[in-house]
Amino acid sequence: MNNRAFLKSFFTEHWKYLTVSAACKLNLFDVLVGSGKTVAEISKELEIEESNLELLLNGLLSISFLDKNQDKYELNELSELLTDHHLKTLKYACLNWSGDHLDAWSKLDVSIRTGTSFFETKYGISYFEYLNKNDDKLNDYHNAMFAYAKDDYKDITTIIDFSRHKSVMDVGGGFGALISNIKAENNDIDCFLFDLDLVIDKCETIAKVQLLKGDFFKEIPQLSDAIILSRILHDWNEENAIQILNNAYQALPEKGYLYIIENCSDKIAVDLSLLSLNMLCMCESYERSSYEYIALANQSNFKFNEAKKLNALQTVLTFTK
């Protein structure tokens, strides 16, 4: 393929993702769970005009997100992962990257020029304040993060020995994928999940994990000898990140542990440049190196102990008070 042909194809690559995203928004894949259906059957169930629906179905066929057996459309191994029915569903991860993210990326040039996020420019509030004002968006966001977290943290207890602690608190832990893994392997440890009221109210009960409501910018409860900040600090600029770290420091007892889990740019082979652009236009932040996270923690008087690779992306940085 020559350069002109490559570029002409490259300019419309987003069509594929947006076709899949539209199917998720319409719950199309969920309708096909269990058995194939004809266009007429799907149309009746979703209350969508057959001609429009057929365009979408054929688009999904063309990019291998559906199969067709005679006149019936069927799920395949890809689209099964985009249903609410699947135990490891990525439906909400798919939804997460469309909508607001696409709006923000469409104004990336503005964020580059001004250093402000799309949400600060358009609404005068941060991305997370925006989510907190939109119940459905907040729910979709945390469902998406939960889906990623189940994969990212499945080996956490083989990397870090949490048995040395009497208690562990996952601060800003969303729907609790990380802390539930720790509790499952460490029954004798008291485990806490701490997040905003709006998030905890949506969180399902987690066996033997205490759910706590609060704001890590205001105060973190003094209940645990270990605190985890997983994929939290990268969402915030330096001033806000230090505020969170200061509150974590105040919450811990002397010699208490802090675990920071992040994509550390110097510890992995993956290029984080595009992800950093995403963090800029969404949150006015970027993906940092381990040295930058250590420097932030040092400003809050934490002492760095060690770094351990968690998976292909994340590193666990361990500190003590």
Side-chain angles (χ1 to χ4, degrees):
M1 182 183 294
N2 63 36
N3 288 341
R4 285 182 60 81
F6 167 77
L7 286 173
K8 286 188 284 186
S9 175
F10 172 75
F11 295 152
T12 56
E13 281 295 303
H14 61 290
W15 290 358
K16 298 177 182 178
Y17 165 55
L18 293 180
T19 298
V20 176
S21 175
C24 287
K25 290 176 182 177
L26 295 169
N27 291 317
L28 173 60
F29 298 130
D30 294 282
V31 166
L32 295 175
V33 170
S35 63
K37 289 184 172 69
T38 65
V39 176
E41 290 171 330
I42 302 169
S43 172
K44 182 177 180 180
E45 193 160 345
L46 292 180
E47 299 181 341
I48 295 174
E49 173 65 37
E50 282 190 36
S51 59
N52 295 338
L53 187 59
E54 192 164 20
L55 290 174
L56 178 58
L57 290 166
N58 288 336
L60 292 165
L61 274 176
S62 74
I63 56 175
S64 302
F65 272 79
L66 286 180
D67 294 335
K68 191 175 184 181
N69 185 9
Q70 296 181 344
D71 64 340
K72 291 189 175 183
Y73 294 88
E74 300 175 344
L75 296 176
N76 58 26
E77 291 181 353
L78 283 176
S79 47
E80 283 178 352
L81 280 165
L82 299 173
T83 66
D84 285 317
H85 176 79
H86 201 287
L87 291 176
K88 295 185 177 181
T89 182
L90 288 171
K91 176 180 178 179
Y92 295 95
C94 177
L95 293 172
N96 182 64
W97 299 108
S98 59
D100 295 324
H101 275 79
L102 288 179
D103 288 343
W105 272 84
S106 72
K107 299 296 183 183
L108 178 61
D109 59 314
V110 177
S111 291
I112 294 292
R113 187 179 294 112
T114 65
T116 57
S117 75
F118 168 79
F119 298 90
E120 287 286 354
T121 300
K122 185 170 182 177
Y123 303 108
I125 56 177
S126 73
Y127 173 54
F128 293 100
E129 289 174 305
Y130 171 80
L131 287 179
N132 292 341
K133 292 177 180 292
N134 294 271
D135 192 66
D136 289 342
K137 293 177 184 291
L138 181 69
N139 193 59
D140 287 350
Y141 170 81
H142 281 288
N143 275 321
M145 295 303 102
F146 184 77
Y148 282 115
K150 285 196 293 186
D151 292 333
D152 292 343
Y153 306 138
K154 59 183 174 62
D155 297 323
I156 185 70
T157 57
T158 65
I159 304 300
I160 301 296
D161 179 16
F162 290 100
S163 65
R164 60 189 167 193
H165 303 299
K166 294 180 180 178
S167 54
V168 177
M169 183 186 301
D170 187 4
V171 171
F175 288 170
L178 173 55
I179 198 68
S180 62
N181 283 353
I182 294 172
K183 184 61 179 179
E185 299 297 327
N186 296 273
N187 191 54
D188 294 335
I189 298 175
D190 292 329
C191 288
F192 304 93
L193 174 64
F194 177 76
D195 214 313
L196 294 172
D197 294 30
L198 290 168
V199 178
I200 295 299
D201 285 342
K202 293 177 178 295
C203 185
E204 295 182 3
T205 301
I206 305 171
K208 300 181 181 180
V209 173
Q210 185 174 341
L211 307 182
L212 303 173
K213 297 178 180 180
D215 183 344
F216 54 48
F217 282 118
K218 295 179 180 178
E219 184 180 31
I220 297 172
Q222 298 178 355
L223 294 174
S224 178
D225 59 25
I227 283 176
I228 301 172
L229 292 173
S230 183
R231 306 287 287 138
I232 298 297
L233 299 180
H234 82 134
D235 287 330
W236 304 99
N237 60 27
E238 182 170 326
E239 179 182 355
N240 286 323
I242 290 173
Q243 180 63 50
I244 297 167
L245 287 165
N246 286 341
N247 288 342
Y249 189 87
Q250 294 301 319
L252 285 169
E254 199 65 30
K255 298 184 180 180
Y257 275 69
L258 171 68
Y259 299 97
I260 295 175
I261 303 176
E262 292 286 355
N263 297 340
C264 295
S265 58
D266 58 314
K267 297 291 186 180
I268 56 178
V270 180
D271 189 330
L272 299 177
S273 300
L274 292 179
L275 189 52
S276 279
L277 285 176
N278 182 69
M279 299 310 299
L280 171 63
C281 65
M282 297 297 291
C283 307
E284 296 181 20
S285 187
Y286 65 99
E287 297 294 335
R288 299 175 173 92
S289 69
S290 63
Y291 304 105
E292 290 172 295
Y293 285 115
I294 292 168
L296 287 174
N298 285 345
Q299 289 188 59
S300 296
N301 293 319
F302 282 105
K303 177 185 176 183
F304 174 65
N305 291 342
E306 63 177 353
K308 287 188 175 183
K309 187 174 182 179
L310 177 58
N311 52 49
L313 282 176
Q314 277 102 35
T315 300
V316 184
L317 303 175
T318 303
F319 300 84
T320 49
K321 177 172 175 175

